[in-house]
């Protein structure tokens, strides 16, 4: 990868005999770009990249028989946007991205292992250790995980979707493995990393009230979506309140009594869905 900042190399049957599987190529290219963009944003302390920052990244792709190679160059036309990370032409940024992604995957594997043991996850952060030290310690007895920097947790969360998509395609055959590397750092994804996939959903016993609008309903399946605070949450309910739910479809300002559903593998306690127990419109009798 001489002369380039970042490299993704993948090997497998999808790239053999001069005929390349378009789905596998698209999977690698789009997932890698999404992961890279999100990790650059994390390194810069941002939620997402602005168009000005995205314009600093030049993507090139090389295809060889039996493999695919993606090379990334950082083109700093406005170095003030990137700041200190541009001082050495991008090597520091490339190394930080590679280390950060490796630690994010390691953290997710530790979380998956503890979840499989039925342990509650408790993540604590030591802010006094620099990123990339490899200091992720998991306690297999009580579910405690200590990580070295909040960016590691942040990176694991923001790259979850593209990383899951990429790992799901690494099957040991069509794509045997994918290797990420910078000048002095590298990390590898293989079928063994599929442990990070899947969900470990839990419906909490506590009830909360959510105000919003019921949308996209499939009453036969007792499923729909609540739009609340500009966000959409999948919801389910039991047949006993079906009539009530039918009366509040597309009604604004409905109060729903719900149990939150969380996904432990997302490594935060925010609800990803709700199970509705009751609903009512303030100052309105639903007649049930």
């Amino acid at each position: 990868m001489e002369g380039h900042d970042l490299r993704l190399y993948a090997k497998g049957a999808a790239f053999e005999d001069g005929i390349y599987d378009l789905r596998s190529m698209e999977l690698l290219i789009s997932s890698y770009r999404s992961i890279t963009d999100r990790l650059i944003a994390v390194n810069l302390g941002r939620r997402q990249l602005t168009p000005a920052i995205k314009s600093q990244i030049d993507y090139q792709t090389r295809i060889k028989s039996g493999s695919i190679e993606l090379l990334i160059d950082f083109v700093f036309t406005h170095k003030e946007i990137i700041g200190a990370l541009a001082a050495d032409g991008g090597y520091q940024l490339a190394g930080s991205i590679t280390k950060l992604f490796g630690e994010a995957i390691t953290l997710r594997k530790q979380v998956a292992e503890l979840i499989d043991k039925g342990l509650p996850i408790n993540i604590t952060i030591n802010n006094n250790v620099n990123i990339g030290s490899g200091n992720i310690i998991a306690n297999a007895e009580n579910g405690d995980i200590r990580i070295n920097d909040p960016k590691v947790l942040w990176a694991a969360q923001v790259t979850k979707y593209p990383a899951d998509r990429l790992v799901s395609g690494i099957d040991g055959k069509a794509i045997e493995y994918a290797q990420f590397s910078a000048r002095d750092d590298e990390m590898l994804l293989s079928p063994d990393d599929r442990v990070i996939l899947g969900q470990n959903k839990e419906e909490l016993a506590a009830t909360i009230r959510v105000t919003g609008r019921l949308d996209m309903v499939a009453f036969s399946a007792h499923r729909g979506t609540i739009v609340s605070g500009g966000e959409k949450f999948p919801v389910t309910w039991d047949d006993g309140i079906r009539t009530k739910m039918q009366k509040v479809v597309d009604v604004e300002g409905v109060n729903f009594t719900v149990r939150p559903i969380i996904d432990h593998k997302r490594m935060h306690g925010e609800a990803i869905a709700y199970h509705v127990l009751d609903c009512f419109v303030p100052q309105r009798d639903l007649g049930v």
Side-chain angles (χ1 to χ4, degrees):
M1 63 171 291
E2 184 176 354
H4 300 279
D5 297 314
L6 278 172
R7 172 181 181 258
L8 168 65
Y9 176 83
K11 184 177 183 297
F15 317 112
E16 291 179 350
D17 301 325
I19 301 175
Y20 306 108
D21 181 73
L22 183 60
R23 290 186 179 87
S24 296
M25 287 179 60
E26 189 279 330
L27 172 70
L28 285 166
I29 294 171
S30 61
S31 298
Y32 187 41
R33 176 155 192 175
S34 180
I35 290 167
T36 302
D37 284 352
R38 296 179 190 204
L39 291 176
I40 292 173
V42 170
N43 269 277
L44 296 174
R46 298 170 179 261
R47 282 291 176 185
Q48 60 185 3
L49 295 183
T50 64
I53 295 176
K54 286 185 178 181
S55 69
Q56 310 301 305
I57 308 171
D58 176 35
Y59 290 83
Q60 298 180 1
T61 303
R62 293 180 180 177
I63 300 174
K64 302 176 182 179
S65 180
S67 67
I68 183 171
E69 182 179 54
L70 280 64
L71 300 173
I72 293 181
D73 293 322
F74 297 117
V75 183
F76 300 115
T77 55
H78 299 283
K79 292 187 177 182
E80 68 276 6
I81 297 176
I82 307 295
L85 293 177
D88 59 1
Y91 287 120
Q92 177 186 343
L93 179 57
S96 294
I97 288 171
T98 305
K99 288 180 180 178
L100 186 55
F101 189 42
E103 291 195 336
I105 295 298
T106 297
L107 173 59
R108 292 188 58 191
K109 290 171 73 173
Q110 296 283 10
V111 168
E113 181 179 344
L114 295 176
I115 287 174
D116 287 344
K117 294 181 178 179
L119 297 172
I121 305 301
N122 178 36
I123 297 177
T124 57
I125 299 169
N126 295 327
N127 292 297
N128 60 336
V129 182
N130 290 328
I131 197 168
S133 70
N135 182 25
I136 300 176
I137 301 173
N139 189 324
E141 300 297 324
N142 58 21
D144 287 342
I145 297 178
R146 187 169 72 250
I147 61 178
N148 63 355
D149 190 287
K151 287 184 178 179
V152 177
L153 177 58
W154 191 3
Q157 291 170 339
V158 300
T159 62
K160 184 181 187 300
Y161 172 75
D164 283 0
R165 184 168 178 262
L166 178 57
V167 170
S168 67
I170 301 176
D171 59 0
K173 296 179 181 178
I175 304 176
E176 295 179 19
Y177 64 85
Q179 183 185 52
F180 293 74
S181 58
R183 181 171 59 177
D184 300 316
D185 302 281
E186 66 179 36
M187 61 89 65
L188 186 139
L189 291 173
S190 72
D192 291 340
D193 293 304
R194 286 189 167 201
V195 67
I196 70 173
L197 300 176
Q199 297 180 329
N200 192 75
K201 295 180 181 179
E202 178 185 1
E203 182 178 318
L204 303 182
T207 60
I208 62 174
R209 181 170 293 176
V210 174
T211 302
R213 174 173 56 85
L214 182 63
D215 190 19
M216 299 177 64
V217 179
F219 280 107
S220 60
H222 297 168
R223 295 182 181 276
T225 300
I226 288 177
V227 181
S228 177
E231 296 186 73
K232 294 183 178 181
F233 298 92
V235 294
T236 58
W237 56 87
D238 296 330
D239 194 62
I241 64 167
R242 176 174 178 168
T243 303
K244 275 190 173 184
M245 296 293 282
Q246 288 175 325
K247 291 185 177 183
V248 299
V249 176
D250 288 331
V251 176
E252 297 287 351
V254 178
N255 286 337
F256 298 92
T257 302
V258 302
R259 289 198 183 107
I261 298 171
I262 64 172
D263 182 353
H264 291 292
K265 287 193 176 182
R266 292 176 183 259
M267 294 168 291
H268 60 64
E270 298 174 7
I272 63 166
Y274 298 117
H275 183 74
V276 180
L277 303 176
D278 198 4
C279 64
F280 69 94
V281 181
Q283 300 179 342
R284 173 178 166 187
D285 185 2
L286 295 180
V288 178

